[in-house]
Amino acid sequence: MGKGGVGRTTVSAAIGAALARRGRKTLLFQSNARKQLAQILGGPPVGEAVVPMRDHLWAVRTNPNAALHEYGLMVLRYETIYRMVLENKVAKSLVRAIPGVDDYSIVGKCWWHTTEKEPDGRPRWDTVVFDGPATGHAVTMLRIPRAILSAVPEGPLTRDAVKVRELLEDPARCAVVLVTLAEEMPTNETVELAARLRELDLHPSWLVVNQLYPDRFPRGSATGRVLEAALAGGAADDPGLAPLVRPARTLAIRRALNERYLGRLRAELGLPEVDLPILFAPVIGPAEIETLSSLLEQATTGADEAHTRGAR
């Protein structure tokens, strides 16, 4: 979860790739996402049917119409009955008039994937990674199960809403990963998002800070002193040195900005953190996902080991 433009889909794909590399059967679940997982992961186009992307990693992309259709079939069992009940004009209009039904169909389909079984009774998926919508929409979506339980009488919809809510609020089964940039607006929105999630009894598990600039000129270091001396000597205006000094100055300024907001995120959220570098590539593809997934795996494995040592 996170603000639009912070790289939620890229981070979701990297998390999925890291889990798959560990041998976990992983499903990447998208709803109305703009970025194409086919390009990011180098697999086939992703649509409404689950498709394999690589070893141990599958993907599916849904939308409210497709999700509502699947949910209707789960409840009514047969396509013919579904069409008679929910595809006639009157019923369709009534269903669409229910506030939040589109959002509930999406989160309900995601929950359903967590319940799928293999023929031998084992879970079909070890992990489902939900590439959620942007902040405001995501919070609205996650409120729906509670709203249903407080407004709808007993029935199939209510029974499923109970199960969805239990899953979302169980930290042993559901982890909320906040994705942000170390910049002003994403930081503000991430801090607010964490507070709104806690109001719903959803507790963020990880913070992923994406697209950090490299720290090549730390203040007080040898490289930092060289850059400061060059700028003080007017090198930024020298025709021969400017092509080197100006990009270095920009990089140092961007990193200083990152450090400022990293400090705020750490102080106000106090979450386990994974820092991902900005990748200077024309497009994000399989090679970049491998880089990011390896960094995610290293960071989370180190945190898991430290937690285990602390428990002992």
Side-chain angles (χ1 to χ4, degrees):
M1 299 179 64
K3 179 177 169 56
V6 300
R8 296 187 314 276
T9 296
T10 299
V11 172
S12 296
I15 291 172
L19 291 167
R21 193 162 49 242
R22 293 184 178 185
R24 296 183 65 82
K25 293 182 296 181
T26 302
L27 176 66
L28 278 172
F29 180 90
Q30 286 191 306
S31 62
N32 295 325
R34 292 182 180 179
K35 286 190 178 179
Q36 297 297 325
L37 287 174
Q39 173 189 298
I40 295 174
L41 291 170
V46 179
E48 295 171 12
V50 174
V51 294
M53 304 302 290
R54 56 177 65 178
D55 288 347
H56 304 295
L57 183 62
W58 290 258
V60 65
R61 184 182 185 189
T62 194
N63 57 70
N65 286 333
L68 195 59
H69 179 238
E70 286 196 43
Y71 182 76
L73 286 179
M74 281 192 291
V75 174
L76 300 173
R77 306 296 181 186
Y78 297 101
E79 179 75 30
T80 305
I81 299 176
Y82 169 83
R83 289 178 180 172
M84 291 171 59
V85 175
L86 292 179
E87 285 295 326
N88 70 74
K89 291 183 179 180
V90 175
K92 207 169 187 178
S93 298
L94 287 172
V95 170
R96 288 300 179 196
I98 301 172
V101 69
D102 285 352
D103 287 335
Y104 183 67
S105 68
I106 297 294
V107 74
K109 176 172 165 58
C110 186
W111 160 77
W112 175 75
H113 282 299
T114 71
T115 70
E116 286 189 278
K117 301 291 185 183
E118 298 285 10
D120 62 4
R122 292 179 301 164
R124 184 179 180 187
W125 312 112
D126 295 316
T127 308
V128 177
V129 180
F130 184 8
D131 175 17
T135 302
H137 189 185
V139 171
T140 299
M141 179 180 287
L142 294 174
R143 289 185 189 276
I144 297 297
R146 281 191 172 194
I148 289 173
L149 292 176
S150 64
V152 178
E154 180 64 30
L157 195 64
T158 306
R159 289 195 296 271
D160 288 347
V162 169
K163 295 174 184 177
V164 172
R165 181 178 171 183
E166 287 175 347
L167 171 65
L168 293 174
E169 295 179 6
D170 184 353
R173 294 190 294 156
C174 180
V176 179
V177 179
L178 302 181
V179 183
T180 189
L181 306 182
E183 298 174 5
E184 183 176 11
M185 289 183 65
T187 295
N188 290 341
E189 196 160 311
T190 301
V191 171
E192 181 183 351
L193 172 59
R196 293 172 72 183
L197 289 173
R198 291 187 178 104
E199 291 172 1
L200 296 173
D201 293 324
L202 302 177
H203 299 280
S205 302
W206 284 90
L207 173 68
V208 175
V209 186
N210 196 23
Q211 299 180 26
L212 286 173
Y213 281 78
D215 191 11
R216 292 183 179 151
F217 305 98
R219 185 177 295 275
S221 69
T223 54
R225 289 194 296 271
V226 168
L227 178 59
E228 289 173 6
L231 291 171
D237 299 317
D238 183 282
L241 295 176
L244 293 175
V245 174
R246 287 180 180 176
R249 178 180 61 187
T250 299
L251 184 61
I253 291 171
R254 296 293 303 195
R255 180 64 196 196
L257 183 70
N258 283 168
E259 291 290 346
R260 175 183 172 186
Y261 289 106
L262 279 170
R264 184 182 170 202
L265 288 164
R266 289 164 182 166
E268 297 198 32
L269 297 181
L271 292 172
E273 178 185 326
V274 180
D275 294 340
L276 297 180
I278 187 169
L279 301 179
F280 297 98
V283 295
I284 299 296
E288 288 73 28
I289 290 299
E290 286 304 304
T291 298
L292 296 176
S293 67
S294 295
L295 292 171
L296 277 163
E297 190 168 18
Q298 291 168 19
T300 55
T301 299
D304 288 344
E305 290 173 351
H307 177 76
T308 301
R309 287 195 298 271
R312 289 174 182 171

